[in-house]
Structure formats: C-alpha cells, structure tokens
C-alpha cells in the first residue's frame, strides 16, 4: 500500500477496456452492466493493493471496520462509472438521470468571459460533467489529463470523441508548460477542468486533515489559480447507483489573491477549505472514492512532510517555477 498511485498498472489492460466498449456499443448499457460482476471479482481477487486501500479508506469514512462485501461494492461502483464513460464521452446521455445543483454560480462565473478553473477529484465521475456541455453548447471545456498514465483510456477517449480528445491539456508536461497551456485556455474564456486531489511524484504537496488523518494534497493548482486570477469552482459528479448521478458545482473563489510573503500559509488555508468540502461529499457518497492506493501515506516514513514544515517546502520549491512562468508569459506578450 505504500506504492504511489503512478506506480500501479492500468487495471484490466487495453483488451479488457476495449472489450467492454464493444459490448456497451452493440449490446447496450444493460447488457454491459452484467460484465461489472466479473470485473469486480477480478479486482477483489487479483489486485491486492487496491483491495487493501479500499478497506482502509472505507474503514475511515464509514467509521467502522469494512468487510469484504463493502470492498466489493466499492469496486463495483468504480467499474460502473468507468462503463458509463463510454456513453457519456460518446454523447449518449439518454437513459441517465443527472441531478445538477449549483449551476447559477458557475454560469455567473463563466459570464465574466475570463475563463474558469473547475477543480474536481477522483471522487465520483468527472465525465458526467459532459452533461453541462450538452446544456450549454457555448461553453468551451478543456480537460487537464495525464495521457501517459492511462494509455488505454486515452485511446478510448480518442475513439469515442476526437473533438474532446483534441482539447485535452496533457498533464504529463513539465509544470511551466501546463501552466502556460491553462493560461492560454482561460484567456480564450474556456472552462478548464482538472483533478486536484492527487500529487504527482516529486510534486510539492501540503498535508492537511482529511478523514481523521493528515493527507498530502498538491499545491500547484492553487498557485496556478492565484497567478491567473480567474474564478475557481469545485465540481463533484457523484454516482448514486443505477442510472442516477448528482452533479454538484460549488463556487469556491472569484479570484485567489496570494501575497508572496504569506503564500505558504494562504495555500495551506485553501487546501484545508478544499479538503473539508471533499470530505463532506466523500461521507455523503462513500463508495465514490476512486483513489485505490495508500492516499494517506506511510506514517512511519520519515520523508512524509508534516503540516508544520510543509509551508516552508512549498515556498522554496515554487520560487524558481513562478519566475520561469512569468518569464515565459513576458516572452509571449512581447515577441
């Protein structure tokens, strides 16, 4: 369980993912959902680290020791949302019952025509956000995605919706390149969606309280939001079993101001606020948590940063990166 999430292989492999896609495409959702049971059994029996991570998380969020049945339900929920990607990314929204809340705040932010950062997580389905694109075709949506981490899912996205795939911002780039791509998208008035609950290997992170224990959260998204001065909206696409979803938008900030002298403390405060909202929704829909790795880290590892020393780490690690981004912005503005 101490392995980082980037070190875990893609579950099922390319053949399994494309097999499910073929069954869903030609047999329909009802037939395809029958495949979820052997998939659940596979993960339950073969993927030990994911099984143990599930049990640890469920024990925390449920407040009691999680049994094998709870773990199976957790994995089945994850498999169901993966299957639904085939339909949602393909624009096949019929048959889904999606309840949407918080839209007025999002619409108000988008009407400023300055771009919006939409912060999501590995809680529920981020793809259900495509319902928003159906309702507001005038919204330009760009998604930040690590193409190299899940190559089979990336190829599936390319096949299902080339237009969406073409607009993906590759999170596998270096930090300044990602920041510049996000800035360009927001300058064009786009809604830029990214997941902010996982830190990549070597990426600065801060520890904050989450489900009863300190857990690391990445700092880069909040520094980017501060640099761009655009509204930040949180998004949670919660799967409610069967064909039902709840897509919740929460307006987080109109513009994040972060004085350099108080930057570390400001980032920590923002992450604490975000972690509190993430925990709220995790407790409301506990089986929607899809971080199947040791999210909290090994508390015995001396390298795990504490809340006390994390602000110092952030201030040092991001000083040069900030300067590099500013230089690249200056070059673009003054060719």
């Amino acid at each position: 369980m101490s392995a980082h999430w980037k070190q875990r292989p893609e579950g099922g492999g390319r053949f399994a993912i494309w097999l499910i896609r073929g069954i869903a495409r030609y047999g329909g959702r009802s037939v395809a959902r029958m495949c979820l049971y052997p998939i659940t059994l596979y993960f339950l029996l073969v993927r030990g680290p994911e099984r143990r991570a599930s049990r640890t998380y469920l024990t925390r969020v449920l407040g009691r020791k999680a049994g094998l049945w709870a773990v199976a339900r957790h994995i089945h929920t994850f498999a169901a949302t993966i299957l639904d990607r085939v339909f949602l990314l393909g624009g096949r929204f019929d048959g889904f019952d999606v309840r949407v809340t918080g839209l007025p705040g999002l619409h108000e932010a988008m009407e400023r025509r300055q771009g919006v950062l939409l912060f999501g997580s590995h809680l529920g389905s981020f793809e259900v956000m495509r319902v928003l694109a159906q309702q507001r075709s005038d919204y330009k949506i760009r998604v930040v995605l690590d193409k190299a981490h899940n190559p089979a899912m990336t190829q599936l996205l390319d096949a299902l919706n080339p237009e969406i795939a073409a607009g993906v911002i590759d999170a596998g780039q270096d930090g300044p390149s990602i920041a510049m791509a996000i800035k360009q998208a927001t300058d064009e008035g786009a809604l830029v969606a990214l997941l902010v609950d996982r830190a990549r290997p070597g990426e600065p992170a801060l520890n904050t309280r989450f489900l009863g224990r300190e857990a690391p959260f990445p700092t880069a998204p909040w520094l980017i939001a501060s640099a761009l001065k655009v509204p930040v909206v949180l998004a949670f696409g919660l799967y409610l079993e069967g064909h039902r979803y709840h897509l919740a938008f929460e307006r987080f900030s109109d513009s994040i101001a972060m004085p350099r002298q108080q930057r570390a403390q400001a980032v920590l405060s923002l992450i604490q606020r975000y972690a509190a909202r993430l925990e709220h929704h995790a407790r409301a829909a506990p089986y929607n948590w899809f971080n199947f790795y040791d999210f909290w880290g090994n508390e015995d590892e001396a390298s795990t940063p504490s809340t006390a020393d994390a602000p110092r780490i952030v201030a040092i690690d991001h000083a040069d990166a900030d300067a590099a981004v500013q230089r690249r912005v200056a070059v673009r503005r003054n060719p």
Side-chain angles (χ1 to χ4, degrees):
M1 287 185 57
S2 61
H4 196 279
W5 61 270
K6 290 275 292 181
Q7 298 173 321
R8 295 301 300 154
E10 193 171 27
R14 183 176 288 101
F15 172 76
I17 292 174
W18 282 83
L19 177 62
I20 292 298
R21 183 234 179 179
I23 296 174
R25 183 177 180 182
Y26 297 107
R29 187 169 180 268
S30 297
V31 174
R33 280 180 63 86
M34 296 176 62
C35 299
L36 299 182
Y37 297 102
I39 291 174
T40 299
L41 185 61
Y42 162 80
F43 271 87
L44 202 60
L45 297 178
V46 177
R47 304 287 287 231
E50 285 82 358
R51 183 179 64 248
R52 292 190 292 272
S54 171
R55 191 189 299 271
T56 297
Y57 158 74
L58 289 173
T59 297
R60 289 185 180 280
V61 74
L62 297 176
R64 62 178 186 275
K65 186 175 181 179
L68 198 59
W69 179 255
V71 174
R73 179 180 176 184
H74 189 195
I75 296 173
H76 185 273
T77 301
F78 174 57
T81 62
I82 293 296
L83 169 63
D84 287 345
R85 287 186 186 183
V86 174
F87 300 95
L88 294 170
L89 292 175
R92 298 165 62 184
F93 301 107
D94 55 298
F96 288 100
D97 178 9
V98 182
R99 180 168 63 96
V100 184
T101 58
L103 270 181
L106 177 62
H107 291 336
E108 185 178 343
M110 287 297 293
E111 286 169 1
R112 295 185 177 190
R113 304 297 179 185
Q114 63 179 129
V116 172
L117 292 178
L118 190 67
F119 283 179
S121 63
H122 293 83
L123 180 74
S125 171
F126 209 42
E127 282 72 23
V128 76
M129 185 186 65
R130 294 297 164 190
V131 173
L132 175 65
Q134 183 191 41
Q135 295 179 353
R136 292 293 300 264
S137 58
D138 56 318
Y139 283 3
K140 182 179 181 180
I141 302 176
R142 301 286 302 277
V143 178
V144 180
L145 176 68
D146 188 345
K147 297 180 179 181
H149 179 59
N150 292 304
M153 289 305 303
T154 299
Q155 290 181 15
L156 180 61
L157 172 60
D158 291 342
L160 289 173
N161 199 318
E163 182 179 353
I164 294 176
V168 167
I169 297 173
D170 188 4
Q173 307 174 79
D174 60 89
S177 295
I178 297 173
M180 287 303 303
I182 293 174
K183 172 175 171 45
Q184 181 177 353
T186 55
D187 284 348
E188 296 170 354
L191 179 68
V192 181
L194 60 161
L195 306 178
V196 301
D197 58 328
R198 289 182 184 175
R200 295 165 56 85
E203 179 184 1
L206 283 177
N207 278 8
T208 193
R209 202 76 173 171
F210 179 70
L211 291 177
R213 195 186 137 191
E214 299 292 312
F217 288 84
T219 62
W222 307 101
L223 294 171
I224 291 174
S226 173
L228 298 183
K229 298 294 188 293
V230 298
V232 174
V233 177
L234 305 185
F236 301 93
L238 304 175
Y239 176 62
L240 305 180
E241 306 292 341
H243 63 288
R244 297 182 300 118
Y245 282 87
H246 175 204
L247 179 56
F249 296 104
E250 297 183 4
R251 197 161 178 176
F252 188 86
S253 175
D254 290 336
S255 179
I256 293 178
M258 200 177 295
R260 178 172 290 273
Q261 293 77 7
Q262 291 91 34
R263 179 175 56 179
Q265 292 73 19
V267 173
L268 180 59
S269 177
L270 291 167
I271 291 177
Q272 287 172 336
R273 282 179 56 199
Y274 169 72
R277 296 310 302 157
L278 183 63
E279 178 170 330
H280 168 80
H281 288 286
R283 292 190 182 280
Y287 294 97
N288 274 247
W289 180 256
F290 302 146
N291 283 305
F292 288 95
Y293 70 100
D294 184 10
F295 187 80
W296 287 265
N298 189 338
E299 60 185 357
D300 295 328
E301 291 181 2
S303 61
T304 301
S306 66
T307 307
D309 62 13
R312 174 177 56 82
I313 294 172
V314 171
I316 293 173
D317 286 351
H318 281 284
D320 292 338
D322 286 347
V325 172
Q326 293 301 323
R327 287 195 297 271
R328 294 181 67 164
V329 171
V331 170
R332 290 176 63 90
R333 289 178 176 172
N334 302 285

